[in-house]
Amino acid sequence: MSECGNKRKLCELGTGEVVHVISYRAKEGLVDEFERIVQETAHCLYHLTAGISDVRVCHPKCGEVVFIVTFLSAEDMAKFRDGPEQDAARALAPVVESGEPTYATSGCLMPAAHTLQSLLAFLKRSITGTSHASHNVGKVREEICRWFPRREEYEKYIHWDQQDPKKYTRNLVFGNEHMDVLLMCWPPGCVSAIHSHDESSCWVALVEGEVFEVQYTMPKLDLQFIEKEMKNPTGAVGRCTRLRVIGETRLSQATASGAYANDEIGVHRIENRSDKPAFTLHVYAPGLRKMKIFKETGQVSVFSVAQVSYMSEYGSKTGTWTTTTHPDGILDIQAWNSWQAGRPS
């Protein structure tokens, strides 16, 4: 078995096209005849259109040729190899070395996939502004989905809460005044709170495993909450209409690999419904500084996330993530009370 095994494969990010390469070299003394047949063969190849997306003929020097044909699928290539390729091979056999190609191979057309570093470079160039309204959402989403995660790239950002292994963790990969890029680590069965994003864009990309993104309509808030929020922008608590699910996206290697949300679209949460860990990359632009937390029963609270601890920053543990840290930015009341109850008086 190859090193790839059953892992996600790079070419799955591509178009599915297949490239076939064949090269020939003329026998000594038969270069002129070789060149005539090659010229005729190239002319025919350039006029093949069904199931073919590109034809290139490389002519390094007299007496050598390389045919490069790109097919829409492996099935199209198989038909070509059983038909036109056999005809060309028979015509060339008398005038080429050993009567056969000097080299032949085929494989998927490699996509223009990002490494983590090239993705971050793109994000730094492309994301500016103080609101999701200033973002080219589609372009950023497209480029994020072109990232091919390699474990050696993101492994240093994987950190778990050893005191509470059921908590998901937030790990800063990169941050500036325009965005925060986080690697989120999701234990089996873990879910986030239902939350908004204030003025920020939120792009989510699957890194490993499987998660679900569930989106809800933005609920209506009661006037009492709105009044409280005006007086206390980061501490108001109140009521809202019941939440209504408007969409659910399964992020896995076999389905979609990315999602997007902002407050004009609605609110959302992330769920790991599997029995295995999962990892996602989140791009918040600008970085989250305030958001609302919702409950399906019709409750809402708003708070500042400026002081929310990260489990790690740039690959190193911060030391500020404690037993009472809640990954959604809310105090973990249950953990605090349990810890206090166990302290000596």
Side-chain angles (χ1 to χ4, degrees):
M1 184 181 291
S2 70
E3 285 188 16
C4 291
N6 294 322
K7 295 179 181 178
R8 187 181 186 185
K9 295 177 175 60
L10 174 61
C11 287
E12 291 174 357
L13 297 181
T15 61
E17 292 167 284
V18 179
V19 181
H20 186 46
V21 180
I22 321 166
S23 66
Y24 290 94
R25 184 179 294 116
K27 285 182 180 177
E28 189 174 348
L30 295 176
V31 172
D32 288 343
E33 180 65 8
F34 171 88
E35 289 291 314
R36 184 190 64 77
I37 298 171
V38 163
Q39 181 180 343
E40 184 176 349
T41 302
H43 182 269
C44 291
L45 289 177
Y46 283 133
H47 286 81
L48 295 180
T49 55
I52 291 174
S53 57
D54 190 61
V55 174
R56 304 292 165 124
V57 180
C58 176
H59 193 213
K61 63 180 182 180
C62 287
E64 291 184 13
V65 70
V66 182
F67 300 113
I68 306 168
V69 185
T70 305
F71 301 90
L72 298 182
S73 68
E75 291 76 16
D76 290 311
M77 182 182 71
K79 291 177 182 177
F80 172 83
R81 299 200 68 180
D82 288 340
E85 181 176 331
Q86 295 299 318
D87 295 335
R90 281 191 290 271
L92 285 163
V95 297
V96 299
E97 292 181 353
S98 304
E100 59 186 23
T102 55
Y103 177 77
T105 192
S106 58
C108 72
L109 181 63
M110 183 175 283
H114 279 295
T115 64
L116 180 56
Q117 291 306 311
S118 70
L119 175 60
L120 291 175
F122 166 81
L123 296 175
K124 293 174 194 177
R125 293 193 306 269
S126 304
I127 296 181
T128 58
T130 58
S131 165
H132 60 78
S134 61
H135 302 146
N136 187 337
V137 171
K139 178 61 176 176
V140 173
R141 181 171 180 170
E142 178 183 337
E143 293 298 322
I144 290 175
C145 289
R146 285 181 176 172
W147 176 39
F148 181 72
R150 295 184 183 275
R151 184 80 181 206
E152 60 269 23
E153 286 186 315
Y154 62 84
E155 190 161 29
K156 70 178 183 178
Y157 305 110
I158 297 175
H159 296 278
W160 299 103
D161 188 331
Q162 301 301 324
Q163 302 301 315
D164 188 350
K166 293 183 180 180
K167 280 184 183 178
Y168 75 88
T169 62
R170 300 156 54 87
N171 302 276
L172 185 68
V173 175
F174 173 80
N176 63 16
E177 69 272 27
H178 300 297
M179 64 180 163
D180 287 338
V181 181
L182 304 180
L183 184 79
M184 311 286 257
C185 302
W186 304 93
C190 181
V191 300
S192 74
I194 302 169
H195 58 277
S196 67
H197 299 94
D198 197 37
E199 292 296 320
S200 298
S201 281
C202 172
W203 291 272
V204 182
L206 180 73
V207 178
E208 186 179 319
E210 176 182 290
V211 299
F212 286 79
E213 188 235 11
V214 184
Q215 289 194 351
Y216 305 79
T217 55
M218 177 64 75
K220 292 293 185 179
L221 308 174
D222 70 2
L223 295 176
Q224 189 176 62
F225 174 81
I226 295 171
E227 183 179 343
K228 287 180 180 179
E229 187 180 13
M230 291 178 66
K231 296 177 181 178
N232 186 6
T234 60
V237 177
R239 297 179 58 209
C240 65
T241 55
R242 287 187 176 273
L243 299 177
R244 180 169 58 87
V245 175
I246 56 174
E248 180 177 288
T249 303
R250 178 188 174 198
L251 304 183
S252 72
Q253 294 181 15
T255 57
S257 59
Y260 175 80
N262 65 44
D263 281 8
E264 289 186 1
I265 295 172
V267 297
H268 78 171
R269 75 174 169 200
I270 304 296
E271 305 177 0
N272 180 3
R273 300 175 184 173
S274 75
D275 59 358
K276 297 179 182 178
F279 307 98
T280 52
L281 191 79
H282 293 237
V283 181
Y284 299 105
L288 282 178
R289 298 298 176 260
K290 184 178 76 170
M291 64 180 179
K292 296 180 179 71
I293 296 294
F294 300 88
K295 293 185 178 179
E296 289 172 292
T297 54
Q299 295 172 297
V300 58
S301 58
V302 61
F303 65 96
S304 169
V305 294
Q307 301 303 318
V308 172
S309 297
Y310 293 130
M311 172 60 78
S312 69
E313 294 183 357
Y314 306 102
S316 299
K317 283 193 173 183
T318 60
T320 59
W321 184 286
T322 69
T323 55
T324 60
T325 300
H326 193 290
D328 289 316
I330 313 166
L331 287 178
D332 194 329
I333 297 171
Q334 183 177 358
W336 170 262
N337 289 340
S338 298
W339 178 67
Q340 285 290 81
R343 292 182 67 187
S345 57

